Amino acid sequence: MSVAVAESRLTYGGAVRAELLKLTTTRGFVWVVLWSLVLSGLMLATSSAAPPADATVAEWTVMTVAGGILMPWVILAVYAALQATGEWTSGMFRVSFAIVPRRNLWLAAKATALAIFAGLVAIAVTALDTVIVLAKYSAEGATIDWTLGHTWQIFIGVPAVCIMTAVMAVGIGALIRTSGIAVTAVIVLLVVLPFAAFFGFEWVAHITSFLPSGAGDSLISAGAFGATSDDLGILGGAAVLLAWSVGACVAASVAMSRRDA
């Protein structure tokens, strides 16, 4: 019986379940959800933006809803990086690698667990933001037009961007292993570099489209994730984000295979 249990823990599904259990039993889990919802809701509730008085109000509505994801997006990415680095800062990696000796499998399970979490939080945030925008601007005719392709692009794209960014952050955390440096790297990548062009670094504007923020904006076409200079399109944005997430995890996998711990 014990052999069967040990073998079951080595499977991908078993490893994901273990990481989800570990994730949902930490104190930060609830706070990340609450702060994501509260900050996003406050940003939209206190916004002074007004819908246009023409037929584009439905388009404006979904773009405004998408704008509420910015802070939760950063929070989720930072949390994903901390979940990865926490394995080493707390010494938990000894238990994790004892249960899942294959480090590639452990990394895939960790990334999957954080991807599921980020996706669910993004969906919850988007749902809350939709309610807030519709309630706040109901007199101005704010509405969700499900016949618009852009509506589906945003409601599917926003969680997708959060998922891929969380996976990337897990890879960065597992690669660096030091919480402070990993969080700094994530913030610089998501927040500092995309806006550096506004502070006199015009050359950065030419590469913003290939940063996670620029690729995310190309994916949803709503300007919710920051500044970008070129539109890569839906497929281009998705490909760039996928490259960031897969690339970070591959780099982490190679590094872990060469380390003793």
Side-chain angles (χ1 to χ4, degrees):
M1 181 67 179
S2 60
V3 174
V5 172
E7 290 179 350
S8 68
R9 290 178 179 176
L10 297 179
T11 66
Y12 172 70
V16 171
R17 286 192 295 272
E19 290 300 327
L20 285 172
L21 178 62
K22 190 189 305 180
L23 175 67
T24 54
T25 52
T26 58
R27 287 178 295 179
F29 167 75
V30 176
W31 286 109
V32 168
V33 176
L34 289 178
W35 277 114
S36 296
L37 293 170
V38 169
L39 290 178
S40 180
L42 282 176
M43 186 173 72
L44 291 183
T46 59
S47 173
S48 59
D54 56 32
T56 63
V57 66
E59 184 81 5
W60 176 90
T61 301
V62 292
M63 291 181 69
T64 302
V65 169
I69 198 61
L70 181 60
M71 286 301 297
W73 174 59
V74 176
I75 291 172
L76 289 169
V78 169
Y79 184 64
L82 288 174
Q83 282 293 304
T85 60
E87 293 283 342
W88 284 271
T89 57
S90 66
M92 180 60 71
F93 74 92
R94 297 182 181 90
V95 177
S96 298
F97 291 165
I99 297 174
V100 188
R102 294 169 54 194
R103 299 183 184 186
N104 290 343
L105 178 61
W106 169 83
L107 181 61
K110 174 72 76 174
T112 301
L114 269 300
I116 293 172
F117 175 64
L120 292 176
V121 173
I123 291 171
V125 168
T126 303
L128 175 65
D129 291 346
T130 301
V131 172
I132 292 174
V133 171
L134 291 178
K136 183 177 180 179
Y137 299 104
S138 59
E140 289 84 355
T143 184
I144 302 296
D145 187 352
W146 296 105
T147 64
L148 290 176
H150 196 197
T151 299
W152 292 102
Q153 183 180 352
I154 286 176
F155 278 88
I156 295 175
V158 165
V161 173
C162 291
I163 287 171
M164 286 187 278
T165 307
V167 171
M168 179 196 73
V170 169
I172 291 174
L175 175 64
I176 298 175
R177 299 194 301 180
T178 303
S179 298
I181 299 176
V183 169
T184 300
V186 169
I187 292 177
V188 167
L189 191 59
L190 299 186
V191 180
V192 177
L193 288 180
F195 293 97
F198 295 141
F199 298 95
F201 300 98
E202 289 82 2
W203 61 272
V204 179
H206 298 293
I207 64 171
T208 54
S209 300
F210 299 95
L211 294 174
S213 57
D217 279 337
S218 294
L219 184 59
I220 68 172
S221 300
F225 295 102
T228 183
S229 57
D230 302 306
D231 185 5
L232 303 177
I234 298 176
L235 294 180
V240 170
L241 275 174
L242 190 62
W244 276 104
S245 58
V246 172
C249 288
V250 168
S253 178
V254 172
M256 286 194 301
S257 68
R258 297 179 178 179
R259 294 168 178 161
D260 293 334

